[in-house]
Amino acid sequence: MLKVENLFLKRGSFVLHKLSFKVKKHSYFVILGQTGSGKTMLLEALAGLQNIEGKIYCDDVDVSDMPPEKRNFGFVYQDFVLFPNMNVKENIKYSSKYKKIADKENLFEDIVSFLRIENILKRDIRYLSGGEKQRVAIARAIYSRPKLLLLDEPLSAVDPTFRNSIMKSLKDIVKRYSMTIIHVTHNFREASFLADRVAVLLDGKILQTGDAYEVLNKPKNIEVAKFLGFKNIFPATLLGFDQKGRYFSVDPNKIGFGDKQGEGFYSFPCVIENILGMSEHYKVFAKVGDETFFCKVHHSAFDKKRLKEGMKTNMYIDKKDVAFI
Amino acid sequence: MKTDKFFVLIFMFLASILVLFLTIPLIKLFVSVGIVNIFTTIQEKEVYDSIFLTLRSAFYAVVFVCVTGIPLAYLIARYDFWGKSILESVLDIPVMVPHTAAGIALLIAFSNGYFDFIDTVTGIVSAMMFLSAPFLINGAKEGFKKVDVKYEYVARTLGASRMSAFFSIALPNARNDIINGALMMWSRGLGEFGAVVIIAYHPMVAPVLIYDRFNNYGLKYSAPVAASMILVSVCLFLAVRYVNNRLR
């Protein structure tokens, strides 16, 4: 559906480095990245709001030089950008002044009931809550019948209590309105719930693209792993592999202390460096050679092992809990 | 709180000195002339024509600057380009120069035979426009700066062309600043004397008529014209602001 080839964009000191990716028709594509990694700029480039080098194809048509009004891509900004000189209904119907919208009255009714905004249609946008503004902005974008809907951190300004229901609505949009969505966020939980496919954008570069499960669970490099919150990232040489440049990661909850020998485990001698007591577990920092492992040890296990700072012991990891990067 | 009360009282005292300074001359003028005398004066043909000419000329100046100055203000607000700060400084020069000097400059620039400039409405409008345009341009510029460019971006993704996005989003949302700027420009135009008198003593705009009557007949004959002009201006400003607030 959407094919991006070598998209290059420079604004001041910030650069999007020749990005290439594809988005399938009627799929939910999430671009994950830290704040300042270029996510909004990328969406604006796709929408035709920034001058770029490279090519953007939509349904095999080159739209790289098309103005935004001809591309038929909807856009919802993080701060929703509802037009202050119009009420809710006028905001939603804005596109009908410039586009022919098939069966527009039924579509309007359907969107309004789907997003549960029937009661606020005549309201001034100044008197809407964050969640209402967000739903109106989405309604306005859907009503214009875009082929592709671009969502810029749409949940960041929404009260956490409404997030789950809005996420569900976002997911339903793809099927209900036969739309393709590109959603940018820094929140990998959002990505995990919503995405069919995920791309990780860091410092203006796409570092990994793939199925949501694969990207979120099997990062291909350290930057992606760190961004996704992977802990205990160390060289694979620590496990006895001789490949330089290969790393592994292990969940702090999956590390055990004591003697555990056998084919299914990696085991090493360690020194307990530091212990911090938390309500449900202890945070234990254990030194193995030059590396410090971060482990979460449940109270019962902690008491059983009688771990103390400065104590020499063994730690072990089940091989199936090791993720190689 | 005691300290708060003391603080507010000091500020109220200082502010009231200025408010009295600004209002006493106007109140004194209206009281000394009297409302009957003001209405009699307005009905004099010379005074009526003069006030109408002043209002008309200032309005033409505002219309011309709306058509040309609003696009200029938009360009300055939205784009960064070479020489932008120089351009902004140049646009502010008319506010700084003595008005008679501006009149002389306009005379040198435009009384070259191509324009019917001296002692014409065109000359009067030019003088008013030269000295008051920055008020509208700066007002519009600030107004456009307050309208986040993302509003226009979204409008465009919803099918609006660049021009449609400007007229449906940028302009209505900058409207209050533009109207305030236009009112400021208009009021400045109404009071313009120095540059106008150099270019067109006749036909007489109200400030020139007031000066002329003061010079030839004294305070008794010029005060009613001044009071009439102020009254008409204030009524029109209030009307425009009222309509603008109702439309908001």
Side-chain angles (χ1 to χ4, degrees), chain A residues 44 56 128 149 196 254 259 265 270 297 300:
Chain A
E44 288 183 346
I56 301 169
L128 300 177
L149 182 57
D196 298 315
K254 306 286 185 185
D259 289 324
F265 297 91
C270 67
V297 185
S300 57

Side-chain angles (χ1 to χ4, degrees), chain B residues 23-79:
Chain B
T23 52
I24 282 175
L26 296 175
I27 293 165
K28 195 93 172 96
L29 176 67
F30 280 104
V31 169
S32 63
V33 173
I35 197 77
V36 177
N37 198 3
I38 291 172
F39 281 109
T40 315
T41 308
I42 288 176
Q43 285 165 32
E44 278 179 41
K45 190 177 182 316
E46 190 186 26
V47 174
Y48 171 83
D49 284 349
S50 173
I51 290 176
F52 186 64
L53 172 68
T54 312
L55 295 173
R56 194 164 47 110
S57 305
F59 179 72
Y60 292 159
V62 169
V63 169
F64 187 83
V65 175
C66 273
V67 174
T68 54
I70 289 176
L72 173 63
Y74 183 80
L75 291 175
I76 293 171
R78 281 285 180 268
Y79 297 98

Side-chain angles (χ1 to χ4, degrees), chain A residues 40-195:
Chain A
T40 303
M41 206 193 280
L42 172 58
L43 287 193
E44 288 183 346
L46 296 177
L49 300 166
Q50 300 279 354
N51 290 327
I52 57 150
E53 289 172 31
K55 293 285 178 193
I56 301 169
Y57 298 93
C58 181
D59 290 335
D60 298 323
V61 177
D62 184 358
V63 298
S64 318
D65 297 322
M66 264 188 201
E69 60 269 26
K70 304 278 182 207
R71 293 192 186 196
N72 202 16
F73 293 175
F75 203 123
V76 177
Y77 273 104
Q78 185 175 2
D79 46 358
F80 316 126
V81 193
L82 298 178
F83 305 138
N85 55 323
M86 299 173 199
N87 68 19
V88 169
K89 189 175 181 181
E90 289 163 342
N91 261 281
I92 297 171
K93 289 195 162 188
Y94 179 83
S95 57
S96 61
K97 287 190 260 182
Y98 307 103
K99 277 180 168 182
K100 276 190 177 175
I101 296 163
D103 200 14
K104 60 183 180 183
E105 285 313 314
N106 283 336
L107 176 67
F108 179 77
E109 295 300 327
D110 183 65
I111 292 170
V112 161
S113 86
F114 170 61
L115 292 167
R116 301 183 308 283
I117 48 177
E118 301 96 328
N119 300 328
I120 57 168
L121 290 175
K122 287 185 181 165
R123 209 183 282 176
D124 190 312
I125 59 125
R126 283 175 297 176
Y127 306 117
L128 300 177
S129 67
E132 287 169 337
K133 282 183 184 173
Q134 200 249 17
R135 282 181 278 151
V136 174
I138 291 171
R140 181 177 64 181
I142 297 173
Y143 183 73
S144 71
R145 282 316 233 154
K147 287 180 187 170
L148 177 66
L149 182 57
L150 305 167
L151 304 175
D152 179 15
E153 302 251 17
L155 298 166
S156 62
V158 175
D159 191 303
T161 47
F162 298 118
R163 255 180 222 166
N164 285 346
S165 71
I166 292 174
M167 279 209 285
K168 193 175 175 312
S169 302
L170 288 177
K171 189 127 177 147
D172 291 344
I173 288 171
V174 172
K175 279 184 190 163
R176 190 176 180 116
Y177 298 104
S178 304
M179 225 169 259
T180 307
I181 293 182
I182 298 183
H183 172 139
V184 302
T185 180
H186 64 275
N187 185 325
F188 48 84
R189 286 184 190 87
E190 267 174 53
S192 152
F193 181 81
L194 293 165

